[in-house]
Amino acid sequence: MRVLALVSALGEGDPIEWVEALAAIITRAHVIDDADALETLEALPHAVADPSLSYETKKRLYVAASERNLPAVARLFLSASPQGQLPHQLEKQLGPERPLRPADKPLTLGERKALARTNRRDQLLLLIRDPHPMVVAILLDNPHITEADIVKIAAMRPAVPESLAKVAAHTRWSVRHAVKRALVLNPSTPLADAIRIATTLRAPELAEIAADHSLPDLLRQHAAEVLAEINGRARA
């Protein structure tokens, strides 16, 4: 409900007032542990990524944040992430057939999707290694999957960005702290998703992201700027 309310509200009112409010929410959530601000901050990545939030609305908010010199807020409204070439290993695994284990008989995508609905732990432990986005999507909704399983999917390297984007968009799993951390620290997570999720992480994790040279420069810069704002408000 909070996500839907936020999507609706972002499309209304003065964009400048909204970006200033979002900047205040980010710092309040981190500095004074405000419960309402924390809940809004957790909902923000889903609200910004929601298909019903129009491109024009995101563009207005991006421009307003840039004009108010709020780059960390502006980045929340990035609409696209650059896509690199998948490693050959992943390209091969995304083919029409793939075995669950090297010595096993290759299974079609349809067979693997059917297996992804199983309640058998031995099968699920093999399936969480499957990089295909369609398999991952089914696993995310499987009631027998655990948070530890999702963390393994989110931390997998190399990974298919589309699969990680599905984890980032999932309302059940994307709010789990361990999942969020794994997504942001995975260089294959789409940049727009990683930036939005990083904004919700704690100060020590923001410092970790800012110092991790395996991550995209813009993500590291974003983490450093959010951290600087948090520290500045804390001292004030």
Side-chain angles (χ1 to χ4, degrees):
M1 291 299 292
R2 187 176 289 263
V3 171
L4 294 176
L6 193 52
V7 168
S8 176
L10 287 171
E12 301 171 357
D14 185 346
I16 289 179
E17 291 181 1
W18 255 117
V19 297
E20 290 177 343
L22 291 175
I25 287 168
I26 291 169
T27 53
R28 285 180 66 86
H30 284 288
V31 175
I32 64 174
D33 204 25
D34 180 288
D36 191 57
L38 281 167
E39 289 182 13
T40 302
L41 185 60
E42 289 287 349
L44 187 57
H46 290 288
V48 173
D50 194 288
S52 60
L53 187 68
S54 72
Y55 171 79
E56 286 303 318
T57 295
K58 287 190 276 192
K59 181 179 178 181
R60 286 196 297 270
L61 291 163
Y62 178 87
V63 170
S66 299
E67 288 176 350
R68 299 300 291 174
N69 194 28
L70 297 168
V73 175
R75 286 189 208 100
L76 298 176
F77 299 100
L78 289 173
S79 296
S81 302
Q83 296 295 324
Q85 184 72 28
L86 288 177
H88 175 70
Q89 172 190 352
L90 275 183
E91 290 279 10
K92 186 177 179 181
Q93 292 181 29
L94 289 174
E97 294 186 341
R98 178 182 184 274
L100 294 185
R101 288 174 294 204
D104 288 352
K105 172 188 171 183
L107 301 178
T108 66
L109 176 59
E111 289 172 324
R112 284 154 34 223
K113 287 167 63 178
L115 278 178
R117 298 181 174 89
T118 186
N119 62 358
R120 289 180 51 185
R121 285 299 300 167
D122 59 331
Q123 297 281 7
L124 289 173
L125 290 173
L126 294 173
L127 284 160
I128 62 175
R129 303 175 193 166
D130 195 311
H132 202 289
M134 292 185 181
V135 176
V136 170
I138 295 171
L139 288 172
L140 290 169
D141 288 330
N142 186 322
H144 303 285
I145 212 78
T146 68
E147 180 175 338
D149 297 330
I150 304 302
V151 170
K152 288 177 182 176
I153 293 173
M156 193 177 299
R157 291 170 175 77
V160 178
E162 185 183 348
S163 296
L164 298 180
K166 289 188 180 298
V167 180
H170 200 274
T171 54
R172 178 186 177 191
W173 297 115
S174 62
V175 296
R176 305 294 180 93
H177 189 83
V179 175
K180 292 195 295 181
R181 186 176 184 279
L183 284 171
V184 175
L185 292 175
N186 193 327
S188 296
T189 298
L191 182 58
D193 290 318
I195 283 174
R196 291 167 191 152
I197 297 169
T199 310
T200 72
L201 295 181
R202 301 162 183 162
E205 289 158 328
L206 290 169
E208 181 183 4
I209 294 162
D212 189 338
H213 290 275
S214 73
L215 299 175
D217 289 342
L218 192 57
L219 174 58
R220 295 175 58 234
Q221 180 184 346
H222 180 77
E225 289 178 358
V226 173
L227 182 61
E229 181 68 18
I230 292 168
N231 289 338
R233 291 293 182 96
R235 285 193 294 269

Short mmCIF file of all heavy atoms in Angstrom, two decimals, residues 17-18 23 48 50 58 99 163 179 203:
data_model
loop_
_atom_site.label_atom_id
_atom_site.label_comp_id
_atom_site.label_asym_id
_atom_site.label_seq_id
_atom_site.Cartn_x
_atom_site.Cartn_y
_atom_site.Cartn_z
N GLU A 17 9.55 20.38 -4.46
CA GLU A 17 9.17 20.05 -3.08
C GLU A 17 9.35 18.56 -2.82
O GLU A 17 9.77 18.16 -1.73
CB GLU A 17 7.73 20.47 -2.82
CG GLU A 17 7.52 21.97 -2.79
CD GLU A 17 6.09 22.34 -2.50
OE1 GLU A 17 5.25 21.42 -2.30
OE2 GLU A 17 5.78 23.55 -2.47
N TRP A 18 9.03 17.75 -3.84
CA TRP A 18 9.15 16.31 -3.65
C TRP A 18 10.60 15.88 -3.51
O TRP A 18 10.91 15.06 -2.64
CB TRP A 18 8.50 15.57 -4.83
CG TRP A 18 7.19 14.96 -4.46
CD1 TRP A 18 5.97 15.24 -4.97
CD2 TRP A 18 6.97 13.99 -3.44
NE1 TRP A 18 5.00 14.51 -4.35
CE2 TRP A 18 5.58 13.72 -3.42
CE3 TRP A 18 7.79 13.32 -2.54
CZ2 TRP A 18 5.01 12.81 -2.54
CZ3 TRP A 18 7.22 12.41 -1.66
CH2 TRP A 18 5.85 12.16 -1.66
N ALA A 23 15.08 13.90 -0.09
CA ALA A 23 16.40 14.10 0.52
C ALA A 23 16.28 14.08 2.04
O ALA A 23 17.11 13.48 2.74
CB ALA A 23 17.01 15.41 0.05
N VAL A 48 9.77 3.87 -7.48
CA VAL A 48 10.45 4.48 -8.62
C VAL A 48 10.49 3.51 -9.80
O VAL A 48 10.39 3.93 -10.96
CB VAL A 48 11.88 4.91 -8.23
CG1 VAL A 48 12.65 5.40 -9.44
CG2 VAL A 48 11.82 6.02 -7.17
N ASP A 50 8.24 1.19 -10.39
CA ASP A 50 6.89 0.75 -10.75
C ASP A 50 6.53 1.23 -12.16
O ASP A 50 6.71 2.41 -12.48
CB ASP A 50 5.88 1.31 -9.73
CG ASP A 50 4.54 0.63 -9.84
OD1 ASP A 50 3.82 0.88 -10.84
OD2 ASP A 50 4.19 -0.15 -8.94
N LYS A 58 9.25 10.76 -13.83
CA LYS A 58 10.64 10.52 -13.41
C LYS A 58 11.58 11.58 -13.98
O LYS A 58 12.50 12.03 -13.29
CB LYS A 58 11.07 9.12 -13.83
CG LYS A 58 10.43 8.02 -12.99
CD LYS A 58 11.05 6.67 -13.24
CE LYS A 58 10.46 6.00 -14.43
NZ LYS A 58 10.86 4.57 -14.51
N PRO A 99 22.02 -28.98 -18.21
CA PRO A 99 21.88 -29.97 -17.13
C PRO A 99 21.92 -29.28 -15.77
O PRO A 99 22.51 -28.21 -15.61
CB PRO A 99 23.12 -30.85 -17.33
CG PRO A 99 24.13 -29.93 -17.93
CD PRO A 99 23.37 -28.96 -18.79
N SER A 163 18.11 -11.48 -14.40
CA SER A 163 17.74 -12.33 -13.26
C SER A 163 17.86 -11.57 -11.96
O SER A 163 17.00 -11.68 -11.07
CB SER A 163 18.63 -13.58 -13.24
OG SER A 163 18.42 -14.37 -14.38
N VAL A 179 19.62 -9.88 1.29
CA VAL A 179 19.40 -9.90 -0.16
C VAL A 179 19.80 -8.57 -0.77
O VAL A 179 20.47 -8.52 -1.82
CB VAL A 179 17.92 -10.23 -0.48
CG1 VAL A 179 17.65 -10.13 -1.97
CG2 VAL A 179 17.56 -11.62 0.04
N ALA A 203 25.16 2.92 6.98
CA ALA A 203 26.37 3.70 6.72
C ALA A 203 27.61 2.82 6.52
O ALA A 203 28.39 3.06 5.58
CB ALA A 203 26.60 4.71 7.85
#
